[in-house]
Amino acid sequence: EYWTQSFNRMSKEINKTNIFSGPLFIIGMYRSGTKLLRILLNQSPRIIIPVVESCFIPYLINKFGDSPQFENDNEFQNFYKSLTKTSFWVSMNSVGQTLDKKYLEQNLNDRTSWSEIFKVIFKFYIPQSKSEDVIWGDKTPQYLPRIKLLKDLYPQAKFIHIIRNPGDYCISVKKAWERSIYRSANNWRYEIENAKMSSQDFSDDYLEVFYENLVEDPETILRKICCFLGCEFTQKMLNLDEPTENLWDTKEITKIVQTNKNKYIEQLSPTTIKRIEEIVYPVAIPLGYYLKFADSFKPLSPLM
């Protein structure tokens, strides 16, 4: 018993130095459950993901270069002005969370490091109710093809990639934005395949979860995620404090809708389903998705 207690104390001390504190990036195709996942994870006392998608990381890097030089006040002013024009800053400012220039000046230790700059920006939005060892991060679906850039910025970063059945993804995109079902299927295959390839060099920091599994058995999936992040699961993480959607089937619903899956089977014709399956075939099969009609890969023509 003495040695057991001693070992447990030593393990706790060691773990304190290895606690993951971020960044955590939630990625995935639009209409694939990234918002649902963000809401659930934010119920943890140790996780905070801003309610607005940042979108500004690649934009600011492209505008000011890979190595920012903001020591000069005029250069820093130009950077801050650009930041205040981003949709993220405008949206957060509209709800009373104003990140002002003075805060950045006082909290930035290195104005030549994008990783430091973005970290200070994101941490500004951490509520005081969160624990001291909070995991900070971001949920921006359009970062799916940029995970290598994010990993270069933050070697310690972890990624949770949420994937949705391609049939349901296609009809959701069609309903939301009237986009071509077949082009959506092609985008699904292309983006997910690229993400899997990009993450091969850091597979221990990359976790795939499936939307269907999350809505069907949220506790199991969230426990898996907590293990991946090194934080404790709490029952509160099963609750929604806001609707996940303002459109269609789950509009204004503040609970996990377990039946919100496989709707494409009833809403699409067998011919359409087969064409979707043919387009996504080389990615859907390794992911474990059951394809009812297709038995081979038939991509879209260049014209399509």
Side-chain angles (χ1 to χ4, degrees), residues 27 142-152 154-155 157-159 161 189-208:
I27 54 175
Q142 73 180 55
Y143 288 166
L144 184 59
R146 300 299 193 101
I147 57 178
K148 277 192 174 181
L149 168 67
L150 298 175
K151 192 63 173 176
D152 287 342
Y154 298 102
K158 291 181 180 288
F159 300 84
H161 181 187
R189 174 185 58 80
Y190 178 80
E191 296 291 355
I192 292 177
E193 188 173 44
N194 276 358
K196 291 178 73 66
M197 291 178 62
S198 297
S199 64
Q200 287 178 350
D201 293 335
F202 47 89
S203 57
D204 290 343
D205 294 328
Y206 171 86
L207 177 67
E208 290 178 348

Side-chain angles (χ1 to χ4, degrees), residues 191-259:
E191 296 291 355
I192 292 177
E193 188 173 44
N194 276 358
K196 291 178 73 66
M197 291 178 62
S198 297
S199 64
Q200 287 178 350
D201 293 335
F202 47 89
S203 57
D204 290 343
D205 294 328
Y206 171 86
L207 177 67
E208 290 178 348
V209 298
F210 296 93
Y211 175 83
E212 298 78 32
N213 295 342
L214 179 62
V215 297
E216 182 177 336
D217 188 1
E219 181 169 343
T220 296
I221 299 303
L222 290 171
R223 285 184 179 277
K224 180 179 180 180
I225 291 173
C226 287
C227 182
F228 172 68
L229 299 177
C231 65
E232 187 175 346
F233 169 80
T234 66
Q235 289 295 321
K236 187 179 179 182
M237 296 175 70
L238 298 173
N239 301 325
L240 298 176
D241 58 5
E242 63 175 296
T244 62
E245 287 290 346
N246 55 9
L247 297 170
W248 313 115
D249 301 325
T250 57
K251 180 180 180 180
E252 298 181 357
I253 295 178
T254 54
K255 67 176 183 178
I256 299 172
V257 182
Q258 294 181 312
T259 58

Side-chain angles (χ1 to χ4, degrees), residues 22-58:
L24 164 65
F25 293 103
I26 298 175
I27 54 175
M29 302 291 289
Y30 281 106
R31 314 299 303 169
S32 293
T34 56
K35 183 179 178 181
L36 170 63
L37 185 56
R38 187 261 297 165
I39 294 173
L40 295 175
L41 292 184
N42 272 351
Q43 301 304 312
S44 166
R46 279 206 58 215
I47 302 173
I48 181 63
I49 307 294
V51 298
V52 178
E53 296 166 8
S54 69
C55 303
F56 58 68
I57 292 178

Side-chain angles (χ1 to χ4, degrees), residues 73-279:
D73 287 340
N74 289 333
E75 293 170 342
F76 190 78
Q77 174 61 30
N78 289 335
F79 156 71
Y80 180 72
K81 185 177 180 181
S82 296
L83 177 64
T84 61
K85 291 181 178 179
T86 63
S87 58
F88 175 85
W89 191 94
V90 172
S91 297
M92 299 304 282
N93 183 62
S94 67
V95 295
Q97 292 183 282
T98 303
L99 173 60
D100 58 32
K101 181 184 173 186
K102 185 177 181 180
Y103 175 89
L104 285 176
E105 290 173 332
Q106 292 177 343
N107 289 275
L108 272 177
N109 296 320
D110 186 356
R111 295 189 183 187
T112 64
S113 167
W114 279 124
S115 59
E116 170 73 7
I117 292 169
F118 295 142
K119 179 180 180 180
V120 170
I121 292 173
F122 282 113
K123 284 204 165 187
F124 170 79
Y125 298 99
I126 295 177
Q128 292 184 350
S129 59
K130 291 290 182 175
S131 64
E132 292 182 0
D133 57 348
V134 68
I135 298 172
W136 65 278
D138 178 58
K139 187 279 286 187
T140 300
Q142 73 180 55
Y143 288 166
L144 184 59
R146 300 299 193 101
I147 57 178
K148 277 192 174 181
L149 168 67
L150 298 175
K151 192 63 173 176
D152 287 342
L153 279 174
Y154 298 102
Q156 77 278 18
K158 291 181 180 288
F159 300 84
I160 301 177
H161 181 187
I162 185 166
I163 301 172
R164 191 176 188 181
N165 181 292
D168 283 336
Y169 164 76
C170 288
I171 61 172
S172 184
V173 170
K174 176 69 174 178
K175 288 179 179 179
W177 302 307
E178 283 296 320
R179 293 180 181 173
S180 162
I181 282 181
Y182 299 143
R183 184 177 180 185
S184 295
N186 192 66
N187 289 342
W188 185 94
R189 174 185 58 80
Y190 178 80
E191 296 291 355
I192 292 177
E193 188 173 44
N194 276 358
K196 291 178 73 66
M197 291 178 62
S198 297
S199 64
Q200 287 178 350
D201 293 335
F202 47 89
S203 57
D204 290 343
D205 294 328
Y206 171 86
L207 177 67
E208 290 178 348
V209 298
F210 296 93
Y211 175 83
E212 298 78 32
N213 295 342
L214 179 62
V215 297
E216 182 177 336
D217 188 1
E219 181 169 343
T220 296
I221 299 303
L222 290 171
R223 285 184 179 277
K224 180 179 180 180
I225 291 173
C226 287
C227 182
F228 172 68
L229 299 177
C231 65
E232 187 175 346
F233 169 80
T234 66
Q235 289 295 321
K236 187 179 179 182
M237 296 175 70
L238 298 173
N239 301 325
L240 298 176
D241 58 5
E242 63 175 296
T244 62
E245 287 290 346
N246 55 9
L247 297 170
W248 313 115
D249 301 325
T250 57
K251 180 180 180 180
E252 298 181 357
I253 295 178
T254 54
K255 67 176 183 178
I256 299 172
V257 182
Q258 294 181 312
T259 58
N260 192 37
K261 59 180 182 176
N262 298 326
K263 295 191 173 184
Y264 73 97
I265 296 173
E266 298 178 354
Q267 299 182 22
L268 298 176
S269 69
T271 302
T272 301
I273 294 174
K274 181 181 180 181
R275 190 68 190 100
I276 291 173
E277 291 179 350
E278 291 171 340
I279 295 168

